[in-house]
Amino acid sequence: MKVKKVTLKKISKDTLGSAKRLRSKSRSRSAKTRYEISQEQFTITPLQLLREDGTTAGKFTLLSAEQIKSMYRFMVLSRAFDDAALKLQRQGRLGTYGSVRGQEASQVGSAFALQKEDWLVPSFRENASCITRGMPMKGLFQYWGGDERGHAYTESMTTLPLSIPIATQLLHGVGLALALRYKGQKNAVLAHVGDGGTSEGDFHEALNFAGVFKAPIVFLVQNNQWAISVPRKKQTAATTIAQKAIAYGFTGVQVDGNDIFAVYGAVSAALEKARSGAGPTLIECVTYRISDHTTADDAKRYRNQEEVDAWVKKDPLDRLKKYMLQQKMWDAKKEELLQQEAATLVSAHVRSYEEEPASDPKDMFAFTFASMTPQLLEQYQSFLDVSGKKRDPNILEKVEGGFP
Ligand SMILES: Cc1ncc(C[n+]2csc(CCOP(=O)(O)OP(=O)(O)O)c2C)c(N)n1
């Protein structure tokens, strides 16, 4: 991949303009093999703009210095949030938590490419994308603390709640994308999923529908190599996840997911393509989940430390910092100030999360559906029994009139 003077147009041409990278390597095979397409006949060249030593080939013009510093800030904030969330969980002050460590470039880089009116449809691990999108950390702490009010956004916020069910959000994303088009809005949707999520039926239904109807959506698979204890090679026999897009009639791109410039470039170009009416793109970010799957998991039981250590060396924050230091846009003093800012901000959000009065348990019965089902009604009445309160004979009227 040539990196000299990289512009969005160039990325678009190289990675999204055509499916040439997936073309048959040889056109002069026998008649028998010409109609049989095998894995070996496909090639995918991953996109990398920022090397592990922090260098790029030639001058990098895709982002301004201010934008690069802002991206780095979001990565540092996300890591500080992540570290705090893990500690809170260990102290019993937060529920089960899924760490983002190692995936910050994929998450921050992709969310950074969104315009305000575009929609983000996150998977459950998308804390860093949500922070980049302006979601308050307090709300994220509340969410992981079991308080759904953390996801009560303002109307102007074009971000869906984190999706705990795997891959269901992709169908919501396609629906959202088509709704935008019906409304005549020129915006696009970015929907995230993990490598494990690509084994779900919903993934295939979403891609099929999006391909047929040319939905303005970008599917971003964070291939962090593991779906709990199931390795990537057991999710699919395909050589790459990116190539799956071809079967659905659109382009697939594989990106170095620890290279924030490549992620940003590929996602920006794909969003631009979606906004212009040229349909969906599938982007595979090759990255790694450094921590356990969640705080309820022990990854040492199924993966070796050597593999983890090798990926720690590819840390996306270190890589961007090296670049900024080489470009003289960063120094030790700025780093210290940013780390202090992150620590102060995270502490303030932890405080505000913990000072929030507990939510009323009846809300989970009242607000699961628009109106309570008979089962929920019964569960609510049993809840009153165990709480030592009287059953509420007028509950139905209250539900119909808007639950108090
Ligand atoms: C529909 C559904 N099935 C199973 C689960 C349980 N589950 C939670 S996370 C997970 C693995 C997800 O792996 P992947 O999609 O690769 O995302 P990652 O955890 O690696 O970010 C599973 C099976 C779930 N939440 N939803």
Side-chain angles (χ1 to χ4, degrees):
M1 174 71 207
K2 281 184 194 155
V3 186
K4 211 173 175 184
K5 285 247 176 196
V6 182
T7 60
L8 263 191
K9 207 168 157 204
K10 171 130 186 65
I11 285 177
S12 191
K13 190 164 164 266
D14 281 359
T15 65
L16 305 173
S18 70
K20 274 189 198 138
R21 282 162 188 248
L22 297 171
R23 71 178 180 251
S24 168
K25 270 184 188 162
S26 162
R27 290 182 198 285
S28 58
R29 294 186 185 226
S30 70
K32 185 174 177 292
T33 54
R34 242 181 281 139
Y35 60 78
E36 290 174 355
I37 300 170
S38 70
Q39 290 280 316
E40 291 70 35
Q41 287 172 280
F42 286 97
T43 51
I44 274 225
T45 311
L47 175 68
Q48 187 190 63
L49 303 179
L50 180 61
R51 300 192 193 108
E52 281 170 40
D53 62 3
T55 61
T56 58
K59 196 166 158 36
F60 180 75
T61 56
L62 189 58
L63 289 151
S64 70
E66 283 318 301
Q67 284 176 308
I68 292 170
K69 282 190 266 184
S70 170
M71 278 178 156
Y72 183 65
R73 179 174 172 274
F74 282 124
M75 287 169 110
V76 168
L77 289 183
S78 301
R79 188 156 291 183
F81 170 86
D82 203 61
D83 289 345
L86 286 170
K87 284 186 195 134
L88 289 173
Q89 193 280 335
R90 297 288 181 237
Q91 293 163 4
R93 294 157 68 192
L94 200 76
T96 303
Y97 175 73
S99 165
V100 178
R101 184 173 272 263
Q103 297 181 224
E104 292 91 344
S106 297
Q107 298 204 2
V108 175
S110 57
F112 204 87
L114 289 164
Q115 292 173 358
K116 194 174 176 297
E117 295 77 18
D118 292 329
W119 280 81
L120 173 70
V121 179
S123 77
F124 73 99
R125 200 184 290 285
E126 225 56 43
N127 301 302
S129 293
C130 290
I131 289 170
T132 308
R133 200 75 176 123
M135 193 181 288
M137 288 183 194
K138 174 190 173 182
L140 283 164
F141 282 130
Q142 276 179 294
Y143 181 78
W144 288 106
D147 183 349
E148 298 283 340
R149 291 174 303 176
H151 267 359
Y153 312 140
T154 56
E155 289 242 332
S156 63
M157 202 151 177
T158 48
T159 300
L160 290 196
L162 299 181
S163 174
I164 294 289
I166 304 299
T168 53
Q169 73 276 10
L170 302 182
L171 290 163
H172 305 157
V174 176
L176 194 48
L178 291 173
L180 288 174
R181 189 163 70 206
Y182 288 134
K183 287 176 85 177
Q185 290 178 13
K186 289 270 173 242
N187 298 109
V189 175
L190 171 67
H192 289 87
V193 71
D195 45 299
T198 66
S199 297
E200 292 283 347
D202 286 357
F203 170 80
H204 300 281
E205 290 169 29
L207 266 69
N208 190 53
F209 207 84
V212 171
F213 294 100
K214 280 191 174 291
I217 185 163
V218 178
F219 299 104
L220 190 138
V221 179
Q222 281 186 73
N223 172 8
N224 66 8
Q225 315 302 326
W226 292 90
I228 315 185
S229 56
V230 179
R232 143 72 181 87
K233 66 175 183 302
K234 287 203 176 150
Q235 293 298 344
T236 176
T239 310
T240 66
I241 290 173
Q243 73 199 58
K244 291 179 186 288
I246 301 306
Y248 295 107
F250 51 92
T251 307
V253 183
Q254 195 188 47
V255 173
D256 177 342
N258 285 15
D259 166 356
I260 196 161
F261 293 164
V263 174
Y264 172 81
V267 176
S268 298
L271 285 168
E272 236 172 66
K273 174 182 140 186
R275 290 186 206 105
S276 76
T281 305
L282 172 65
I283 297 177
E284 175 189 1
C285 285
V286 180
T287 183
Y288 197 77
R289 190 195 83 216
I290 298 292
S291 297
D292 295 327
H293 166 72
T294 62
T295 47
D297 173 48
D298 177 6
K300 286 195 188 72
R301 295 174 67 169
Y302 54 81
R303 66 181 191 188
N304 67 54
Q305 194 56 37
E306 267 174 21
E307 179 184 299
V308 181
D309 293 345
W311 279 94
V312 168
K313 289 199 184 111
K314 295 173 193 276
D315 186 277
L317 276 74
D318 288 349
R319 196 185 301 190
L320 185 58
K321 189 162 88 178
K322 277 182 198 154
Y323 172 83
M324 296 196 307
L325 290 168
Q326 285 164 22
Q327 298 299 315
K328 309 246 182 300
M329 63 172 84
W330 205 244
D331 55 37
K333 185 76 206 153
K334 288 193 175 97
E335 178 70 21
E336 196 193 322
L337 286 174
L338 177 59
Q339 294 293 345
Q340 274 171 12
E341 184 208 340
T344 311
L345 201 66
V346 170
S347 302
H349 281 273
V350 170
R351 215 173 307 120
S352 143
Y353 150 64
E354 294 199 309
E355 278 168 10
E356 191 69 45
S359 60
D360 189 333
K362 78 169 179 255
D363 289 353
M364 69 184 153
F365 305 102
F367 297 123
T368 299
F369 297 108
S371 55
M372 271 209 262
T373 61
Q375 292 84 354
L376 278 173
L377 192 58
E378 180 47 37
Q379 284 172 30
Y380 175 61
Q381 299 283 29
S382 318
F383 163 73
L384 291 177
D385 293 344
V386 293
S387 325
K389 293 176 189 152
K390 275 207 189 111
R391 284 189 170 232
D392 186 345
N394 303 318
I395 184 83
L396 272 178
E397 283 162 36
K398 285 185 188 164
V399 172
E400 269 145 33
F403 203 74

